[in-house]
Every structure is written in C-alpha cells, then in structure tokens.
Amino acid sequence: MSTVMWGQADIQKQLQIINGQLAPDILIRNADYLHSIYKKWMRGNVWIAGDRIVYVGEEMPALTDGTEIIDAEGKKIVPGYIEPHVHPFQLYNPVSFAEFASQGGTTTFLSDSLTFFLVLENEQSFNMLDQMNQLPFAFYWWARFDSQTVLKKEAELFNPKKVTEWLKRPDVLMGGELTGWPRLLAGDPTMLSSLVAAKALGVKVEGHFPGASERTLARMKLLGTDGDHEAMTIDEVESRLLHGYGVTLRQSSIRQDLPQLLKDVVERELNVFDHLMMTTDGSTPSFYDDGVMDKCIRIALQAGVAPIDAYQMATYNIARYYDIADVHGILATGRYATLNILENELEPTPTDVLSKGKWLKRNGQTTKAIGEIDWSSIPTYNPAFELSASDFTFTQTVGIEMVNDVITKPYKIEIDVEVDRLAEDHDESFLMLVDRDGKWRVNTLIKGFATNVQGFASSYSNTGDVILLGKDKQEMLNAFNEIKRIGGGMVVFEQGQAIATLPLSIGGVLSEKPVAQLIEKELELKKALSERGYQFGDVIYTFLFLQSTHLPYVRITQLGLFDVMKNEVLIPAVER
C-alpha cells in the first residue's frame, strides 16, 4: 500500500540515468549493503535521484558530472529503521521526535493519531498530516477506534464516518490499537463497523491484549485483528505466533521486555525472526537518551540475535507486514532513498543517515533539520475559568491506590479530608480532574503517589483535561494558576513558588522544544517529584494513564471515578 507515486517526469529522469543520459544526484560506491530478500550482505553501488533509489547493483553510472560520490569502503549500509508503534505525543510532538529519532537512523514512524482525534476535525488533522508528508521523513498513521478512556462525547469523536475517512488515507496503515477490545467482543456496533471498514480497505488492525488467554486471542483473530505488541513472556510470544498474529516485541519506559524475550527466542531455537518486529511503544523523552530503533537493534545483538535478523526486525519485517516494502525496508531499485551507513554491523547507530534523498546526518554530525509544520490548528491552552475554594471539596469515601506506575485499585478513604492540608506522614493526596473548559470536576484521593508533593498541576493528560494533585489545596490552586499563566504544561508548586516547570506550548499537551531540551525539563520534573516521595518508574505515564480504562482497576475519567472491571461510575463528575 504505497503512499507515493512518482510523476511521469520523475520516472523519465530516472530512466535517463539508467540509460546513461543523465547523472544520478548521489552515488554510493563500494557498498557492503544488507539485501533484505537474500538476507545477506552484498557488494554493489547505489544510484540515487531525488528521493528514490534508481539502481542497486554492480554497475556504475555512465555519467557522474555533478554527482555527490560517497565511497563506503569498509562500512555497512542498511535500510532506514522503522518504528512501527509510535505514540508521538509523549510531551514531544511528531516532528520533534522524528528529528531526534532520525539521528539514530530511525526514519519512518507508524504513529498513533489519538490526540488528533480528540482535539481536531478531520480536515484540520489531514492538513497537518499533509504538511508532514512534505518533510524528509516518512510518517504513517493509525486510525483510532476508541479513546482508551470513557468520554462524554466518545460516540461523536470516534464515529464510523470519521474513522473511515482516516482509513481511506494512503498514509494510514493500521486500525487501532484495540484498547477497547472488550467492547468489541461484547458486540459494540460502532467499533465493529470501524474494524470491518479497516479490513475492507486492507488496513492492518493492531490489538492490545496484555495477558490474553488463547481463547481471547482466537476470538480476536476471528474478529479481524492482525497483530499485537503486548506479549510479556516467551509463552505469550509463542501463543500469538501460533494463532498467526504479527508479533511486535516491546522495549518501553514502562515495559522493558525485549532483552529477555529475545534471549528466550534464541535459547528455544525458535526459527521465527522473520515474523517478529520491535518497538519502543511511545516512551517518554528521557528513555531515548540512548536511541530509538537503534537501541532495540543493539539489545537484539546483545541477546545473541544474528545481526541480519536484528536489522530485519527493525526494517524489512515491518515494511513487509504493513505492505510498504515497495518503498521501505529494502535497499533495492525503486525504493525511497532512505538508508543508514554504519561503522560495522555490530554498531547500529549510524554515522550517516539519508532519508528520502536528504542527508540528515553526515560523519556523525547533524546536517539538516527535517523542517517544521504549522501547529496553530491545535487550540491553545487558555482556560477562561477560575477555580475557587468550593471546587476543593472532598467528601468521597473511595479513592485510587497506585499498585505501580500505571496500575491502580480502589481503596477506602478513612482520613479526614475536610482539612486544607494533609499530613506528610502518609502517602495519601488530594486528586482532581477538571474539565479543560471548566464545566465539571471529579474530586477524590490518590494513595501511593507521594508523601509530600504540596501542589501539582498538569494540562497533559489522556484527554487534555487538567489534573491537580497534592497535599495542600492552596498550592494545588497555585499550580493550576501557573499552568494557565504559561499556556499549559506541568508544574510542581511549594511554599507559593514553582519548584519545577515543564511548559507544553502546543495545546497544553505538546512541547515545541527539541527532544534533547525536553529531556532536561522532564528529568527536572521527575527529580522534584521523586524527592517528594514518588517511588515508581515513569511519572509521565502515571499522569497519562490515570484516565485510561484499558488498564485495571479504577480510573478518574470525564464521567467520574470509574471501576474498569465493573464498567460503572463509583463517583460521578460534579458540574460546575
């Protein structure tokens, strides 16, 4: 399902290069390159015109006047890496993350579209996607079927007409991921309609089945699911392969399963590497300080995976599975001129990166920014309402207790919640979810988050609504007023001043800053929260998943405090 069609004039020029009438733009000679179909290193020369490879083989072009010639003697060349499961809204934005990832050789994303579904109409979203398609990076997308929480306007935001318009785009390669699969099993007609549309259009459907039984895997396969990325043990990998799933192994900031899974595949001598892919699953910025897909390849090599298999899991296997091998994942005639030059096959971070015919990295140095797009379609974070003392009323008897970074359970509140400030000798804090437009709020307590965070506010959440948390109601209010002042973001407040601030100027949910700068701000925020008692691994995911009903057992949502397993509201939202 190629998203590109070279025009007649382009193809005529490419043919003239083959015929010896024109010179290529770039010639890489003496190339030891990975041929993805033969699964071996081959020797040859790569001719490039514009953003396309016009020839790979032993021949040299007849003309080289004006050609940029690179001698790759002693190097290895591999296809550009593909990240098949990107959540490109984890504080960074799709373009800033692409810019960062490209320096490690990752030049193609298959990305979540959830933020676009939640805040934009399709016309606005598609305009942004079209802008990204003009950049020297390959962006592909999912079509979301559900919000992974409960929304007041779920049916409106994820109606089949809107979803189908996404599915019809040639740069949309996946439906899902199916975080709301229990609804599908229960016969939800809206979700089933979207899945049927995806299958009719030849779009892969990705599951989200942590801990799923074989019966569940079989039922979801019959419903049309093609792949899953939630295997956490080697037995779960085998069961997914048994039922014919495309299996993506994960190395993320909250699930670092890849090393052990690959060691187990090697140890069991499973001849399945042609059917495995790898992902970092939308990790938070600081997780990427040592790379993106180059990180995954390095882990595979350290686990004993043969180098060619390691590279194929991040290139050709993905391209073949998503039916884009006509332009990606293989160094051969007619594909995008997207490749990585390596010092050797055991070092997956490239010295040179070519993406769609543009050098993004040469001799270890960034040579070209991939560009920018216009983010103004995303509404700015500028709430027109104020919070008052009456909003900070807590009368509930049920709260949220944290089990780990992202798993929560209900607990009985027994402390006095009518005070303005909670004591620091326990780990219970006030917690609020406030409508982005100030129309409603949900008030409860959270246990296990921290012991002495006085005030915290975040406009970054699953839905773009505002999270407030802390021991001190006044400091929570101060923190809320601060994120209003800066136009959105996250802030820790204490004794009337901001202790750590992470601005998110794009709609209050995304940063416009380069990822390297964003990592510094994220680590400052995490350090401040850790010093005040946060004890788990990834606090950014904690805030993101407080609303996420695809995880057990209780969540704070637009409808109220929600029991996931019982599918019922424990404490309803309060209208303001």
Side-chain angles (χ1 to χ4, degrees):
M1 187 191 293
S2 171
T3 67
V4 64
M5 177 66 72
W6 282 276
Q8 190 170 7
D10 295 321
I11 295 172
Q12 286 301 319
K13 177 182 176 182
Q14 294 157 11
L15 290 173
Q16 287 177 308
I17 293 171
I18 295 293
N19 295 337
Q21 299 165 302
L22 289 176
D25 297 320
I26 299 173
L27 169 64
I28 304 175
R29 65 185 185 187
N30 301 321
D32 288 325
Y33 67 96
L34 174 59
H35 196 288
S36 304
I37 295 174
Y38 282 102
K39 289 189 67 176
K40 69 178 186 179
W41 301 101
M42 302 184 76
R43 182 81 167 182
N45 305 297
V46 184
W47 311 3
I48 294 167
D51 61 355
R52 196 179 197 190
I53 296 173
V54 299
Y55 174 84
V56 182
E58 296 181 359
E59 299 292 328
M60 286 286 284
L63 299 177
T64 57
D65 294 340
T67 299
E68 179 185 2
I69 301 176
I70 291 93
D71 191 334
E73 187 69 50
K75 301 291 188 75
K76 296 288 188 181
I77 302 180
V78 295
Y81 308 144
I82 304 170
E83 220 312 358
H85 196 96
V86 181
H87 297 275
F89 309 107
Q90 308 297 45
L91 305 181
Y92 43 73
N93 66 68
V95 176
S96 67
F97 187 43
E99 178 88 55
F100 179 85
S102 70
Q103 295 304 295
T106 302
T107 46
T108 301
F109 283 170
L110 183 51
S111 295
D112 189 0
S113 56
L114 180 59
T115 295
F116 290 147
F117 266 88
L118 293 176
V119 303
L120 298 175
E121 298 297 329
N122 279 359
E123 183 178 357
Q124 297 170 307
S125 297
F126 296 163
N127 176 266
M128 299 182 81
L129 268 57
D130 291 342
Q131 290 182 59
M132 283 184 247
N133 285 339
Q134 301 305 308
L135 303 176
F137 192 96
F139 292 93
Y140 298 95
W141 299 90
W142 321 348
R144 273 283 187 166
F145 298 166
D146 71 299
S147 66
Q148 74 183 38
T149 183
V150 288
L151 300 175
K152 291 179 180 290
K153 297 182 178 180
E154 177 92 14
E156 176 184 327
L157 291 172
F158 295 89
N159 68 80
K161 179 178 182 296
K162 182 177 182 179
V163 172
T164 301
E165 287 176 356
W166 274 84
L167 291 168
K168 286 181 177 180
R169 284 187 61 96
D171 53 358
V172 172
L173 305 182
M174 187 180 104
E177 57 184 297
L178 295 180
T179 52
W181 61 268
R183 285 168 43 196
L184 186 63
L185 276 182
D188 181 279
T190 301
M191 186 172 286
L192 183 59
S193 174
S194 295
L195 190 144
V196 169
K199 303 306 291 185
L201 291 165
V203 175
K204 298 287 187 184
V205 175
E206 179 73 3
H208 184 279
F209 309 141
S213 67
E214 283 214 52
R215 183 185 295 267
T216 295
L217 292 174
R219 289 185 293 182
M220 294 310 302
K221 199 74 177 72
L222 292 173
L223 281 165
T225 310
D226 297 290
D228 181 72
H229 59 284
E230 292 287 335
M232 293 177 277
T233 68
I234 187 61
D235 290 336
E236 291 180 345
V237 171
E238 290 200 59
S239 65
R240 283 155 175 76
L241 291 170
L242 177 68
H243 290 285
Y245 281 87
V247 177
T248 307
L249 307 181
R250 178 172 49 190
Q251 179 72 3
S252 77
S253 53
I254 56 173
R255 288 295 322 180
Q256 298 182 33
D257 300 316
L258 185 62
Q260 190 59 53
L261 292 178
L262 289 174
K263 288 176 184 176
D264 290 341
V265 172
V266 172
E267 185 176 305
R268 293 192 182 187
E269 298 181 344
L270 301 178
N271 186 21
V272 296
F273 285 109
D274 287 350
H275 305 281
L276 298 177
M277 298 168 277
M278 300 186 287
T279 181
T280 59
D281 197 8
S283 297
T284 47
S286 58
F287 183 74
Y288 293 112
D289 62 351
D290 58 349
V292 185
M293 293 310 291
D294 52 328
K295 174 209 293 270
C296 291
I297 297 167
R298 186 174 293 107
I299 289 170
L301 295 171
Q302 292 168 348
V305 177
I308 289 176
D309 285 328
Y311 287 103
Q312 298 274 81
M313 286 192 289
T315 57
Y316 183 62
N317 293 2
I318 300 167
R320 188 184 59 209
Y321 176 76
Y322 283 106
D323 197 20
I324 54 172
D326 57 336
V327 286
H328 292 290
I330 176 173
L331 294 176
T333 300
R335 273 64 177 185
Y336 269 131
T338 298
L339 54 84
N340 295 325
I341 301 178
L342 314 178
E343 285 287 2
N344 59 71
E345 64 188 61
L346 299 180
E347 178 43 72
T349 301
T351 58
D352 303 81
V353 177
L354 188 72
S355 182
K356 291 185 177 179
K358 303 293 185 183
W359 290 108
L360 302 183
K361 187 179 184 182
R362 286 288 282 134
N363 299 317
Q365 301 297 317
T366 301
T367 54
K368 178 181 175 63
I370 68 170
E372 297 290 340
I373 70 165
D374 180 5
W375 295 105
S376 61
S377 296
I378 296 180
T380 59
Y381 178 77
N382 186 26
F385 67 95
E386 304 288 338
L387 292 179
S388 65
S390 62
D391 289 307
F392 292 84
T393 302
F394 295 80
T395 59
Q396 293 72 22
T397 58
V398 178
I400 297 175
E401 181 175 358
M402 294 182 63
V403 177
N404 60 28
D405 312 49
V406 298
I407 304 299
T408 61
K409 64 181 181 181
Y411 84 101
K412 184 179 180 181
I413 299 172
E414 296 180 337
I415 63 172
D416 181 5
V417 295
E418 296 184 3
V419 297
D420 291 332
R421 182 184 177 108
L422 297 174
E424 296 179 6
D425 60 357
H426 60 75
D427 62 355
E428 293 175 70
S429 304
F430 297 120
L431 174 65
M432 297 171 62
L433 182 70
V434 182
D435 174 44
R436 182 186 178 95
D437 298 317
K439 296 179 180 179
W440 51 262
R441 60 176 170 80
V442 181
N443 291 26
T444 186
L445 263 65
I446 186 167
K447 178 177 173 59
F449 178 85
T451 53
N452 62 332
V453 173
Q454 300 308 310
F456 173 84
S458 175
S459 57
Y460 170 87
S461 65
N462 188 292
T463 56
D465 298 313
V466 180
I467 297 170
L468 301 179
L469 182 152
K471 293 279 190 176
D472 189 308
K473 295 176 181 178
Q474 181 59 50
E475 299 293 6
M476 293 166 66
L477 178 58
N478 290 341
F480 170 73
N481 289 333
E482 180 66 6
I483 62 167
K484 284 181 61 176
R485 186 187 71 80
I486 65 174
M490 296 178 168
V491 63
V492 180
F493 236 81
E494 193 173 279
Q495 297 181 352
Q497 63 181 355
I499 302 301
T501 303
L502 198 164
L504 298 170
S505 61
I506 303 174
V509 292
L510 305 176
S511 173
E512 87 289 358
K513 298 293 185 184
V515 172
Q517 294 181 28
L518 185 57
I519 288 173
E520 293 179 9
K521 301 298 290 185
E522 178 202 3
L523 291 176
E524 288 175 10
L525 181 82
K526 287 182 171 179
K527 181 174 184 289
L529 292 171
S530 177
E531 289 173 348
R532 287 157 180 80
Y534 182 82
Q535 60 181 320
F536 300 109
D538 195 334
V539 71
I540 306 301
Y541 256 102
T542 294
F543 295 129
L544 181 68
F545 280 175
L546 276 174
Q547 298 169 276
S548 296
T549 53
H550 66 290
L551 296 170
Y553 290 91
V554 62
R555 302 285 147 177
I556 189 167
T557 75
Q558 292 186 353
L559 301 185
L561 194 64
F562 189 81
D563 187 312
V564 175
M565 308 308 289
K566 295 180 181 178
N567 195 32
E568 66 181 23
V569 176
L570 302 176
I571 301 170
V574 175
E575 300 295 321
R576 298 182 70 248

